[in-house]
């Protein structure tokens, strides 16, 4: 009889151990995934802010929102695709274009510079870049596409954990191993709505990402393909607003932070 009890106790301990591994192990896995997701989110926000600052620089060199709208419309795009929050300062300038004989030519070079900066920052934010690690491996840096895929993968894990092994199931099973307690309390862990309350409180919440949090930007054509648009746009602006262009160029030259070179 003692041997049978010992065997029963051993089986009980093994089942409890397996159940604990399944329940807590799965939850730890999800917790770790969510923690890593938040780390990636912070890094992606830094890249997004770089895009915002590049958008602000483009708008500045286009002489404001209306000018930026004219430029993007001329390329077949909409300025709305390059929205950035109010208060964002334009990218800090650490270099200036090569010498130009005319102000119109210098304006073209500044806009080409800003366009290339915006294109590169969007590419890095949307798709990342390949980076060498110390161990010799090549990895893709944080980017929006992988970030959204990661959210989907974590949500699959969350739904699986919430569905397969609930807190009330563990509680019911644990209490069922003590018949005396069950008879005394006249419950089996929890009943009806009690179970639902426990499960709801312990359940993971799926990750939801709003488009406004991590907006999508269109991939921009290479600068060489945009040379005609940029030159034509700057020529039109110069023809109708020389005074503002001259003031802009003076401000841009003055604000180049050569200390960062």
């Amino acid at each position: 009889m003692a041997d049978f009890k010992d065997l029963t106790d051993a089986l009980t301990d093994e089942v409890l151990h397996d159940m604990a591994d399944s329940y807590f192990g799965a939850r730890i896995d999800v917790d770790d995934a969510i923690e890593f997701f938040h780390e990636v989110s912070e890094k992606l926000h830094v890249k997004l802010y770089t895009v915002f600052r590049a958008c602000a620089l483009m708008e500045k060199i286009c002489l404001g929102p209306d000018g930026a709208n004219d430029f993007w419309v001329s390329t077949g795009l909409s300025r709305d695709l390059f929205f950035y929050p109010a208060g964002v300062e334009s990218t800090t300038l650490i270099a200036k274009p090569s010498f130009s004989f005319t102000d119109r030519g210098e304006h073209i070079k500044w806009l080409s510079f800003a366009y290339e900066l915006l294109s590169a920052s969007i590419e890095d934010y949307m798709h990342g870049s390949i980076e060498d690690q110390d161990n010799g491996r090549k990895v893709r840096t944080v980017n929006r596409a992988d970030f959204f895929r990661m959210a989907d993968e974590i949500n699959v894990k969350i739904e699986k954990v919430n569905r397969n092994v609930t807190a009330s199931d563990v509680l019911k099973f644990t209490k069922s191993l003590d018949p005396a307690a069950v008879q005394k309390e006249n419950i089996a862990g929890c009943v009806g709505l009690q179970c639902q309350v426990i499960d709801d409180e312990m359940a993971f919440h799926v990750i939801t990402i709003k488009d406004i949090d991590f907006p999508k930007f269109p991939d921009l054509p290479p600068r060489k393909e945009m040379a005609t648009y940029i030159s034509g746009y700057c020529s039109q602006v110069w023809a109708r607003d020389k005074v503002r262009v001259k003031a802009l160029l003076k401000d841009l030259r003055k604000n180049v932070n050569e200390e960062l070179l």
Side-chain angles (χ1 to χ4, degrees):
M1 188 70 177
D3 290 341
F4 178 76
K5 185 178 185 306
D6 290 343
L7 177 61
T8 302
D9 290 343
L11 288 173
T12 298
D13 290 342
E14 184 176 350
V15 171
L16 279 174
H17 179 75
D18 290 344
M19 199 165 191
D21 279 350
S22 176
Y23 179 72
F24 293 108
R27 293 185 69 85
I28 290 172
D29 183 46
V30 171
D31 278 329
D32 289 344
I34 292 175
E35 182 178 354
F36 180 65
F37 179 80
H38 287 312
E39 292 175 5
V40 172
S41 173
E42 291 176 3
K43 293 179 180 178
L44 191 60
H45 264 298
V46 173
K47 290 192 173 186
L48 175 59
Y49 191 69
T50 299
V51 175
F52 286 156
R53 295 191 68 188
C55 287
L57 180 62
M58 277 288 295
E59 188 172 287
K60 178 178 181 178
I61 295 176
C62 288
L63 301 180
D66 291 340
N69 184 66
D70 289 344
F71 172 75
W72 292 119
V73 168
S74 74
T75 65
L77 296 171
S78 168
R79 178 182 171 273
D80 293 340
L81 298 173
F82 303 95
F83 161 83
Y84 65 92
V88 172
E89 296 183 358
S90 61
T91 303
T92 301
L93 301 171
I94 61 173
K96 53 187 175 183
S98 57
F99 174 76
S100 296
F101 288 101
T102 65
D103 287 341
R104 183 184 71 84
E106 184 178 351
H107 189 210
I108 291 172
K109 289 183 178 180
W110 274 112
L111 187 54
S112 298
F113 168 79
Y115 177 87
E116 193 162 22
L117 187 67
L118 177 60
S119 178
S121 62
I122 288 177
E123 172 69 21
D124 191 36
Y125 165 71
M126 292 293 296
H127 309 291
S129 59
I130 302 300
E131 192 175 73
D132 292 326
Q133 290 189 318
D134 295 336
N135 59 11
R137 292 182 57 195
K138 294 182 181 294
V139 297
R140 185 168 294 278
T141 58
V142 171
N143 61 85
R144 185 183 184 276
D146 289 343
F147 179 72
F148 275 76
R149 276 194 290 269
M150 184 188 302
D152 290 338
E153 291 171 0
I154 293 175
N155 283 340
V156 170
K157 288 185 177 182
I158 287 174
E159 290 170 356
K160 184 177 180 180
V161 168
N162 288 344
R163 179 180 65 250
N164 289 355
V165 185
T166 64
S168 62
D169 288 337
V170 175
L171 180 59
K172 285 178 183 178
F173 180 78
T174 302
K175 287 207 168 189
S176 72
L177 298 175
D178 186 357
V182 171
Q183 185 175 9
K184 181 179 179 180
E185 298 176 23
N186 197 31
I187 60 171
C190 61
V191 178
L193 292 176
Q194 292 178 337
C195 296
Q196 190 62 50
V197 170
I198 292 173
D199 291 341
D200 289 345
E201 288 179 350
M202 295 297 294
F204 287 103
H205 297 290
V206 296
I207 296 171
T208 56
I209 309 172
K210 298 179 181 178
D211 287 339
I212 195 172
D213 294 332
F214 293 96
K216 183 177 181 179
F217 294 92
D219 295 328
L220 295 178
R223 181 172 63 93
K224 289 183 178 180
E225 295 181 14
M226 298 297 294
T228 301
Y229 290 103
I230 292 173
S231 178
Y233 170 79
C234 290
S235 296
Q236 291 176 13
V237 173
W238 174 255
R240 68 173 182 259
D241 212 341
K242 294 183 179 65
V243 174
R244 290 183 68 196
V245 173
K246 286 177 179 289
L248 168 70
L249 297 179
K250 183 179 180 180
D251 179 68
L252 291 171
R253 297 181 201 125
K254 181 181 67 176
N255 286 293
V256 173
N257 192 343
E258 296 181 345
E259 293 180 2
L260 297 177
L261 290 174

